[in-house]
């Protein structure tokens, strides 16, 4: 009898919460959403086990699925051509209506702060007065923007060391004066440039976090599939678990922090105040931690492609391995999304003064590693060193950043005729006596010595090429002279180096004055010859 009563009590308490739960959707499927056009796209959510879920749309498509035993469900549905607004209705024990749905192209926007920073962050005065006109431009854009066919949703910044999150909280917003302040500036100007040429809705799905390295954006499964990356992952997890065990002890004292704080106080509180030891469960920099908390919540939402602005934080953390991790990340995201080799475009970092030589050269190294990753299919890169701000790691000129990223998309994905999608890219080198001849691709109608001022187009100038360096047999780098030989070649030399071996260009965090362009006004990429 007592056993029967316990069962009855259990059913009364448990059944209302679990057996009769409402149908729920991932936050992406909500009012004002942009759904990928002309495609079979997944819609997913949660309900009771074995519950019948019906999805119907205002464009005439419908599908019926049943919830799995774990309470999850997914349906794939055909979407219409670009346009809207449409409506999607999801019915089970309850009914959800998603209104004002646009069918268009969805681009995921990822990376660190230069992708993360919204338009509102760039209306503040610039640190250097000469960049203030860029601020005024953005202020005007924020005040006047009115394009309901540019929409944006952002995954809140979170970290999860062990568990993959499956949902988040946010809502879709439009590019208007009331909401544009919350939209990624890089993403917005990318979308605006695409919309200037292609009359389709653009959805920006942002998943970014300032200060993050590349390592937390890669899944555990990806780490496990590569021996070297696996070793790094396992060493990191081992250290994290040991730290967690120490911090979870009842008698835990943050000894290291207390010692550092005492020294800081003894020195008159000069310099940066020490910070407490970070609990690994709250550390955004650990491998897979941001992937678990943020990307897992949006995969496999149907997307057109991705744009990436990251690398600053890797300038002093494994910069020489960046290509390996970036390549693995792109390949794994493509596999996890299940949409083939979707287009993926990124930037070389904008110019910025760095604190020391290690950071300065690391910045250049990451830029070159980004260039080398172009070996992957359906990728592209925008070069930004000529639109940076030496005193600000967050340059205001997201207008040209977005426009240069959009050039790749317009040509490759929208079949728009574009004279040049990139500045000159290093192709090959030949040693000729005491000189090295560099061949470039993506030279458009030819190479030029150029100068760019703020938002103006770069113009040809009668000046010598700068920022070329050459290395001799002794391994020492020297400044080099350089001249344009043809539409796609540059000759580099230093009269004191008889047997040159390598050339590098714009090899600094702030290569101010680097001036090799193509005649379409796009700067040559930072490079180190192989």
């Amino acid at each position: 009898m007592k056993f029967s009563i316990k069962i009855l009590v259990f059913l009364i308490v448990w059944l209302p919460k679990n057996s009769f739960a409402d149908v729920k959707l991932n936050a992406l499927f909500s009012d004002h959403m942009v759904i990928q056009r002309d495609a079979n796209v997944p819609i997913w959510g949660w309900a009771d086990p074995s519950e019948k879920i019906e999805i119907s749309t205002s464009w005439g498509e419908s599908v019926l699925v049943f919830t799995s035993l774990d309470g999850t469900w997914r349906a794939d549905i055909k979407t219409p051509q670009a346009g809207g607004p449409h409506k999607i209705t999801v019915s089970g024990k309850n009914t959800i209506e998603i209104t004002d749905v646009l069918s268009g192209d969805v681009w995921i926007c990822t990376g660190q702060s230069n992708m993360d920073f919204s338009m509102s962050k760039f209306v503040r005065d610039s640190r250097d007065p000469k960049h203030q006109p860029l601020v005024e431009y953005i202020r005007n854009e924020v005040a006047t923007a009115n394009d309901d066919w540019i929409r944006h949703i952002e995954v809140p910044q979170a970290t999860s060391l062990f568990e993959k999150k499956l949902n988040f909280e946010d809502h879709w917003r439009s590019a208007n004066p009331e909401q544009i302040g919350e939209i990624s500036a890089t993403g917005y100007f990318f979308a605006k440039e695409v919309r200037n040429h292609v009359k389709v809705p653009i959805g920006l799905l942002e998943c970014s976090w300032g200060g993050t390295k590349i390592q937390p954006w890669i899944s555990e499964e990806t780490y496990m599939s590569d021996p070297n990356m696996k070793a790094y992952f396992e060493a990191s997890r081992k250290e994290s678990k040991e730290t967690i065990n120490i911090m979870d002890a009842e008698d835990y004292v943050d000894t290291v922090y207390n010692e550092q704080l005492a020294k800081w106080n003894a020195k008159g509180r000069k310099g940066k105040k020490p910070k407490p030891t970070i609990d690994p469960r709250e550390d955004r920099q650990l491998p897979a931690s941001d992937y678990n908390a943020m990307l897992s919540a949006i995969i496999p939402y149907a997307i057109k492609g991705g744009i990436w602005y990251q690398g600053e934080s890797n300038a002093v953390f494994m910069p020489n391995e960046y290509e390996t991790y970036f390549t693995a990340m792109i390949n794994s995201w493509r596999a996890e999304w299940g949409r083939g080799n979707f287009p993926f475009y990124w930037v070389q970092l904008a110019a910025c003064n760095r604190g020391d030589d290690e950071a300065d050269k690391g910045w250049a190294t990451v830029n070159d590693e980004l260039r080398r990753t172009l070996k992957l299919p359906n990728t592209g890169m925008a070069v930004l060193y000529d639109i940076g701000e030496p005193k600000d790691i967050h340059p205001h000129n997201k207008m040209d950043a977005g426009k240069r990223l959009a050039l790749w998309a317009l040509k490759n994905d929208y079949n728009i005729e574009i004279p040049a999608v990139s500045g000159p890219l290093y192709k090959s080198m030949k040693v000729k006596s005491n000189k090295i001849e560099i061949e470039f691709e993506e030279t458009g109608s030819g190479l030029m010595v150029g100068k760019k001022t703020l938002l103006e187009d770069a113009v040809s100038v009668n000046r010598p090429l700068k920022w070329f360096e050459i290395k001799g047999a002794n391994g020492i780098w020297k400044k080099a002279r350089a001249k344009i030989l043809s539409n796609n070649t540059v000759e580099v030399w230093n009269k004191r180096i008889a047997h040159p071996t390598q050339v590098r260009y714009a090899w600094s965090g702030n290569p101010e004055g680097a001036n090799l362009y193509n005649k379409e006004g796009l700067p040559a990429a930072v490079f180190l010859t192989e």
Side-chain angles (χ1 to χ4, degrees), residues 259-277:
E259 291 176 352
Q260 292 175 341
L261 186 63
K263 291 179 181 178
W264 181 72
N265 284 322
K267 293 180 179 179
R269 299 188 174 188
K270 294 180 180 179
K272 290 185 178 180
K273 183 179 180 180
K275 295 182 179 179
T277 301

Side-chain angles (χ1 to χ4, degrees), residues 31 41 119-120 297 432 434 444:
D31 292 347
V41 306
M119 293 287 282
S120 63
K432 294 188 174 182
N434 66 334

